[in-house]
Amino acid sequence: MRSSTKLILLTLSTIAFFFVTESRSTIPSEEEKKELEKLLNHINKPAIKSFQTKHGYILDCIDIQKQLAFDHPLLKNHSIQLKPTYIPKWTSDNNTSQKSSSLPFQQNANISCPLGTVIIKRTTLEDLIKIQHLKTLGFNYRTSKDKRFDITGHHYALAEYYEENFGAMGNINVWDPYVKPDQFSLASISIGGGDKDTLQSISAGWIVSPNLNQHHSGLFIYWTASGYNETGCFNTLCPGFVQVSSKFALGDLANPVSTYDGQQYHLIVSIFQDRVTRDWWFMLRDEPIGYWPRSLFDVNGLANKADRVYWGGEVFSAAKRRTSPIMGSGLFAQAGFKKAAFVNGLKVIDRISRKVTSPPISALIPFANSPNCYNIETKTGDGDWYRYIFYGGPEGCTIK
């Protein structure tokens, strides 16, 4: 019998007591540990096969029908979709970029999940405490058109697109910036819908956070159906996102990553709404990773369309009087290729024509809420570089 999401959310709320400022952790009591272990039993479903990676974490092969997603009450009678009913033709020509290499995830050759299973990164007790801490620190996008979020400690450098659409893609340049405890640095594509009180959004990209994936860049998703209030979850750590891939696990660490004036690597990320089911799919290159069922959202949000897309970076630091971390490569946008971080191949699915198109350069709004610390430039060229951005900046912005 499937467990109640209410129990999971109530238990999650108890973990909030375990976070502390200035990077010192509270030791849970025996009673609190029992609650956490109970929660772990909900999150970590029985594994059919398991593998330990060279980084020390464990990947489990879980029965696709028994994954955590289906503990969500809205997915009680959900029928699993193994792949989208259609895949958008994101590239309209053969002029693909040879300047950087895609998919910097080198799956270990001895990791192979049986048919009918999906690959999930196992959550530990320590992970659970850290992840709830990260959620407590905050993960939300404040854009040039939305003033409601408390963005203390957050810095953004984004290209914003405000037109109704059915999805977007981009090649997200992967770096491995150093961050301190209670900080994160990320790059992503985000799709959003709704107004300031009903904002619903989904994001995918890479993140460096000691609370989530050690001190290395790792694959992540995040979604909310309530403006980051009642709902909000990384990866497969709460019910909702349906994993279908048996090749790539959310939370897996990127390897290799880009280097200054050296080889560049990127993630080919697309998020789009299926024409038939209206589910929102996340694909990494040509691999469907999974989807957010339409039933998770409402008509004021993402049930029928999106009304905004963001490409770019975000950094965060929790502690006051601490300097903010590196965004991207640590260099400003004007440093250019092989030095500054980029997202190229910017595409959207137009809601009216339903065709894949490059957004007009005039429709890409550059937004940096701390332009002296981090900046962004929108640019145009050819092929994958027809619409692209450079963004980023060094550590050193003081959090007041």
Side-chain angles (χ1 to χ4, degrees):
M1 184 175 180
R2 288 171 179 163
S3 59
S4 167
T5 303
K6 183 177 179 182
L7 173 61
I8 295 176
L9 294 177
L10 285 174
T11 312
L12 275 171
S13 67
T14 67
I15 310 172
F17 294 109
F18 302 150
F19 86 89
V20 289
T21 57
E22 304 300 336
S23 310
R24 292 184 300 174
S25 299
T26 301
I27 299 174
S29 68
E30 288 303 313
E31 184 177 350
E32 290 166 338
K33 282 183 179 179
K34 288 180 181 179
E35 287 299 307
L36 290 174
E37 288 168 358
K38 186 186 299 184
L39 179 57
L40 280 176
N41 289 333
H42 285 287
I43 293 177
N44 293 322
K45 300 302 182 181
I48 294 174
K49 200 173 182 180
S50 298
F51 305 89
Q52 183 155 14
T53 70
K54 62 182 180 181
H55 298 288
Y57 56 86
I58 295 174
L59 298 177
D60 290 326
C61 301
I62 306 296
D63 185 331
I64 191 172
Q65 301 275 358
K66 297 179 180 179
Q67 61 181 293
L68 182 63
F70 302 116
D71 285 358
H72 199 295
L74 294 176
L75 304 185
K76 184 176 181 181
N77 299 311
H78 181 77
S79 297
I80 297 175
Q81 310 298 310
L82 296 179
K83 60 182 180 179
T85 61
Y86 90 109
I87 296 175
K89 278 190 152 185
W90 295 109
T91 304
S92 57
D93 55 44
N94 294 320
N95 188 14
T96 55
S97 172
Q98 300 300 314
K99 295 181 179 180
S100 64
S101 301
S102 67
L103 210 62
F105 290 93
Q106 297 180 344
Q107 189 65 278
N108 198 317
N110 66 353
I111 295 180
S112 177
C113 283
L115 188 67
T117 67
V118 293
I119 191 163
I120 305 288
K121 183 180 178 182
R122 185 182 299 180
T123 303
T124 66
L125 182 63
E126 183 181 5
D127 291 336
L128 202 55
I129 296 171
K130 287 182 176 180
I131 290 162
Q132 181 61 16
H133 185 118
L134 180 60
K135 183 179 176 182
T136 308
L137 300 184
F139 181 93
N140 51 51
Y141 276 111
R142 150 84 183 290
T143 72
S144 59
K145 292 191 176 184
D146 194 340
K147 312 298 183 184
R148 87 180 181 98
F149 296 122
D150 177 7
I151 60 164
T152 304
H154 291 264
H155 301 272
Y156 309 89
L158 305 171
E160 304 176 349
Y161 176 76
Y162 290 97
E163 297 290 343
E164 292 185 348
N165 65 86
F166 289 129
M169 78 150 292
N171 303 321
I172 305 175
N173 190 206
V174 181
W175 292 83
D176 207 7
Y178 172 75
V179 302
K180 299 174 183 176
D182 288 357
Q183 294 182 334
F184 64 68
S185 181
L186 64 84
S188 68
I189 296 176
S190 289
I191 305 288
D195 60 28
K196 66 180 182 179
D197 297 316
T198 62
L199 177 65
Q200 299 185 338
S201 73
I202 48 184
S203 305
W206 61 262
I207 186 172
V208 180
S209 167
N211 290 308
L212 191 64
N213 53 9
Q214 303 173 29
H215 287 272
H216 301 282
S217 180
L219 182 67
F220 90 98
I221 61 169
Y222 191 92
W223 69 280
T224 180
S226 60
Y228 308 99
N229 293 318
E230 291 84 7
T231 60
C233 178
F234 283 97
N235 301 341
T236 51
L237 293 164
C238 70
F241 179 79
V242 180
Q243 174 95 4
V244 300
S245 176
S246 60
K247 294 181 180 179
F248 300 106
L250 296 168
D252 222 353
L253 302 184
N255 180 38
V257 297
S258 304
T259 57
Y260 175 84
D261 209 23
Q263 181 63 46
Q264 302 297 295
Y265 296 92
H266 63 264
L267 300 176
I268 302 177
V269 173
S270 61
I271 301 173
F272 61 93
Q273 190 169 36
D274 191 285
R275 289 179 179 177
V276 177
T277 66
R278 297 287 188 167
D279 300 330
W280 285 93
W281 279 88
F282 164 41
M283 290 188 63
L284 197 59
R285 197 176 185 176
D286 54 2
E287 173 76 7
I289 305 300
Y291 62 94
W292 294 267
R294 179 180 186 269
S295 57
L296 296 174
F297 307 108
D298 59 48
V299 294
N300 295 317
L302 289 173
N304 297 326
K305 60 180 175 59
D307 58 26
R308 69 200 74 178
V309 182
Y310 314 132
W311 297 267
E314 176 187 358
V315 296
F316 175 77
S317 184
K320 294 182 178 180
R321 297 178 299 280
R322 173 182 286 175
T323 56
S324 60
I326 291 169
M327 180 188 291
S329 69
L331 294 177
F332 291 112
Q334 53 267 35
F337 184 64
K338 288 192 175 183
K339 298 176 177 65
F342 68 83
V343 183
N344 71 2
L346 273 58
K347 299 284 181 68
V348 295
I349 303 175
D350 180 77
R351 184 172 179 249
I352 304 301
S353 69
R354 291 183 175 269
K355 293 181 179 180
V356 173
T357 182
S358 297
I361 194 71
S362 59
L364 291 175
I365 304 170
F367 170 65
N369 65 320
S370 304
N372 293 329
C373 303
Y374 310 98
N375 69 353
I376 180 170
E377 293 182 353
T378 58
K379 293 181 175 290
T380 187
D382 298 309
D384 275 357
W385 297 86
Y386 185 63
R387 293 287 183 269
Y388 65 100
I389 62 171
F390 286 117
Y391 71 93
E395 63 180 335
C397 220
T398 302
I399 310 300
K400 298 180 179 179

